[in-house]
Amino acid sequence: MEAMEAVLRNFKQIPCPDGDQCTTPSCQWQHSWDRNPPAASSSTSPAPVTKQDETLAQDPDGPRKRRRTSSEAGSATAITTATGAVSPPPLKRKAPEHSTLPAPASKVQRPVATAPASLTTPSRATASISASPSTVSKQSAAKQITAPKQQATPRKPETLNPRHLTSAAPASHEFRFKALKMLHEQFKRLNDEVKKDVKEDEQKLVLTEQELIWLALDVEQKMATEKPVIYTNVIKNEIMAYRKKTPGRWRDERLAEWQKRNEPKTPVKKLRLGPPKEVKTGLTPQEEVSFLVHLLTPITELAEHGYVVRPPTYEEIRRAREGEKASLGWEVCDRCTTRFQVFPGRREEDGALTSGGTCTHHSGRAYFPERVPGTVDRPPKRYRCCQETVGESTGCTVGSTHVFKASAPSRLAALMPFMETPPNPSVPKDRAVCFDCEMGYTARGLELIRLTATSWPDGKELLDVIVRPIGEVLDLNSRYSGVWPQDIANAEEWSPGKPLTTVVESSDTGRTKKKHMTIVPSPMVARDLLFSLICPETPLIGHALENDLNAVRIVHPTIIDTALLFPHRRGLPMRYSLKMLMETELNKAIQVDTKENRGHDSGEDARAAGELVRLKVMEKWDQMKGEGWMVVDGAFVPPGWGKTNIKGGALSERFLEKKEEGELGEEDEVEPVVLDGSGTGGKLYSL
């Protein structure tokens, strides 16, 4: 390595073939600014200027690499290389579990030095320094950290040569160079036409020679990376399109591009909600429960979308366990897709739970922003967390470890077996149950850490417990689960006969404070507590229920999934979020970020799903009433039933008399049409 560095230093004695017009970054040849270093100017007593300060002033792309001397080994200041500022290693400092990185302006950010007068000026004067060397080093280190926030990094000059691609090139270099040159010629032609009759306020639409080169390189690289299979045809069509393009159309494109470039990045526009929508079904609570038979979600054909319709067999579970054993703990990160190894029970050598170090990822989902007025191109995808374009950065959030989740039913059952809902005669028949689960990442995958159930339609809380997972916790996913380490530490241990939730009320204001949660020892106990509230005929209500059912390992036959009640316009697997449905359907906001950033509330989500179901009951019942359906003694009867017995919209006197006297016989009975309030089936009669 030392011999190679000595050889590279010798190149600095040879003049660069391109002279001062060289645009190569970190060129190894000698230039005029290397032979004539600038002299520092000082108003009072000038302090000695280090080589690093001179390099910062000479090279706008950042200082060049040099060997580190032994005297710098203990330096605590920032180390600067050709790729940017590198912070010193932490000294007795424990990094937080999650940290948010600032969104980079480009892939690589470089420290910004003193701005040069022009790019071709060989000599640049450095700023005056009137401090001690130690103070200067500290100030320069601080300036390097904060400078990118104040001033954008200038773009490097480039030549008209196809850029290097990280993947295989879609065509030969010769073909790409010819296509790039022809594309640049069309750009130059259109730009010259606009320049002839440009107005003073339109000077910004005229591109410089370097900007034309950048534009041609950007267009060619985009086609080479996004459409490599049909690259040759696409680039030919693009060249022909620009040949036919008029200067007026070119001017409009440049104006739209300028507006887009100068428009500040703003977060996603929040929908302005109107007054909350009032839901009035016109039915009693018992009749609403009886009506749910018309909204049940059949899941027998939804196994491919994550719904488990039957418990996995013993043979399937055995093969899943053998596969886990053969994989030696290797998994794919659920956030950054990095392969890493997990060690349930901790690794013996160092007690680690995972390998692979930290996890850099985007915590928000990708989305397509709204189109800019005046443009026809679809804007690129952005992340909701940092508004960065997809593909420009590896992530804006750093997790302490990689995480994973298992989705195959057999592998889920290998950790905790699935169970079908058992019969339970003690369960009330006049209610449904809304429930929601929160999950966290452990050494065993994505596990249940909180379970909440509420009654429907009144929304009364039935169950709300924190669950101690089976594996060691890697990440509680607190931002979304709403479960924080202090919640688990302060939770009270559950015991049979003890209330499942305890709410403390303030004596002076009467407002409800944060709950003192109860923690159960395992997911199996939490499942048994849920089984005590439901039976196979009890409708289970929730949003994206396959995730909650799989977390608790339950196979339930009677479910109502709001993700399927309000389907996405593009169909499965696309689905609207619960937050969006509440905003668009009921004008209500849930999962609102607060200063405390407490995360999601599973009770709020469960009740929100119940409100959406009541809305669907109201809409469906209004439709059925228009078709002629009626409610008779708590049962819903179809149109045309008992026409001979109804006069003027009322039942006949003979029918009412026989019912009061208890004389309705078997000959008066007809087949049941719908469930009544008991959920076991009602009887309808005719005369």
Side-chain angles (χ1 to χ4, degrees), residues 130 139 178 208 327 424 527 603:
S130 58
Q139 291 177 350
K178 289 181 179 179
T208 63
S327 67
N424 189 353
R527 180 173 60 185

Side-chain angles (χ1 to χ4, degrees), residues 568-608:
H568 196 277
R569 56 186 178 87
R570 286 189 278 177
L572 290 173
M574 304 295 294
R575 289 178 292 189
Y576 293 116
S577 66
L578 181 62
K579 180 182 179 70
M580 176 177 289
L581 288 177
M582 288 296 292
E583 290 177 350
T584 56
E585 300 292 339
L586 292 173
N587 291 336
K588 293 183 179 181
I590 62 171
Q591 302 172 1
V592 179
D593 294 333
T594 60
K595 293 182 179 179
E596 295 81 9
N597 194 18
R598 296 297 302 173
H600 293 186
D601 183 357
S602 54
E604 180 186 44
D605 293 348
R607 293 183 180 90

Side-chain angles (χ1 to χ4, degrees), residues 41-120:
S41 60
S42 176
S43 57
T44 57
S45 58
V49 182
T50 63
K51 292 183 178 180
Q52 182 178 359
D53 298 327
E54 293 179 358
T55 310
L56 283 172
Q58 292 172 2
D59 194 348
D61 296 326
R64 306 181 188 278
K65 290 184 178 179
R66 62 183 178 85
R67 296 182 60 188
R68 185 178 183 182
T69 61
S70 59
S71 61
E72 298 173 338
S75 177
T77 58
I79 305 170
T80 308
T81 66
T83 58
V86 181
S87 60
L91 300 177
K92 299 181 181 180
R93 187 174 56 197
K94 186 176 180 181
E97 185 176 357
H98 287 284
S99 61
T100 303
L101 301 178
S106 60
K107 290 184 179 180
V108 179
Q109 287 188 351
R110 304 180 183 276
V112 179
T114 306
S118 63
L119 292 176
T120 59

